[in-house]
Amino acid sequence: MPPQPQARKNFLEFLRSPFGVLRVLQMVLGAGLWVTIAANKYEGPIHFVLFVAVLFWLLTLALFFLTLLDKQDLVPIVGGERWLLSNVVHDLAATALYLPAIGVMIYKTEKNAYCNLEHYKHYCVYKVYLVASVFACLSATAYLASAVYGSCRKCRGQQTLV
């Protein structure tokens, strides 16, 4: 059965909204971060970065599809009229946890800067950590932008994401 015209309109409306664009951006950047780390050798505090990236990637994926399918009313306690506030809290929590993750990535990048020399023969994770640092910074920025936008909508008295 093909999607109803109204449902298709809601899909497109959400995907074109700032929240829809930011959610897609958050998912792409978060996936880029954890795939970059997971595909290479990592140890120690990088596990925290991987935890943050995967946790918020999965949560963002769930929020995205619940909103896209217009099923946020089915979520107990945080759905319905509280959906915008729930999304803002999620985005603020993601930003707050991405900040120490950025610190860890920058520290590990600087710690491995020695192996970026031209004649260094061993496996070097400097470029991997540098790329992961950029992904983490961009992800935190996307979550912060989403939190600010959602807070502005909430302060104006709006209850929906679109």
Side-chain angles (χ1 to χ4, degrees):
M1 180 174 183
Q4 301 297 327
Q6 182 63 29
R8 185 174 207 155
K9 182 181 174 214
N10 289 344
F11 281 0
L12 294 175
E13 186 178 335
F14 173 67
L15 289 175
R16 291 180 181 154
S17 73
F19 260 118
V21 171
L22 284 168
R23 286 288 182 242
V24 170
L25 188 62
Q26 291 162 358
M27 289 186 296
V28 169
L29 293 171
L33 173 59
W34 69 262
V35 167
T36 300
I37 293 172
N40 293 283
K41 187 177 133 186
Y42 61 93
E43 79 286 333
I46 301 295
H47 289 94
F48 171 73
V49 178
L50 195 59
F51 167 74
V52 169
V54 171
L55 173 69
F56 282 104
W57 183 78
L58 289 171
L59 289 174
T60 302
L61 195 66
L63 290 175
F64 177 77
F65 281 112
L66 282 170
T67 306
L68 184 68
L69 299 173
D70 202 26
K71 298 295 183 187
Q72 59 266 26
D73 293 332
L74 298 177
V75 181
I77 301 172
V78 296
E81 292 179 5
R82 298 185 188 110
W83 191 244
L84 179 59
L85 180 62
S86 302
N87 277 268
V88 169
V89 169
H90 165 266
D91 294 335
L92 288 173
T95 303
L97 284 176
Y98 262 107
L99 292 178
I102 291 168
V104 167
M105 289 311 307
I106 290 173
Y107 170 75
K108 293 298 277 184
T109 301
E110 289 176 350
K111 190 175 176 187
N112 287 290
Y114 67 89
C115 72
N116 198 30
L117 300 173
E118 187 175 322
H119 298 293
Y120 190 78
K121 303 267 188 244
H122 301 288
Y123 181 73
C124 179
V125 292
Y126 173 78
K127 290 179 182 174
V128 171
Y129 288 168
L130 183 62
V131 169
S133 297
V134 170
F135 274 128
C137 288
L138 292 174
S139 293
T141 303
Y143 280 110
L144 181 62
S146 183
V148 168
Y149 178 72
S151 297
C152 289
R153 286 184 63 88
K154 186 69 176 165
C155 287
R156 289 187 206 134
Q158 297 171 340
Q159 297 294 325
T160 61
L161 294 178
V162 182

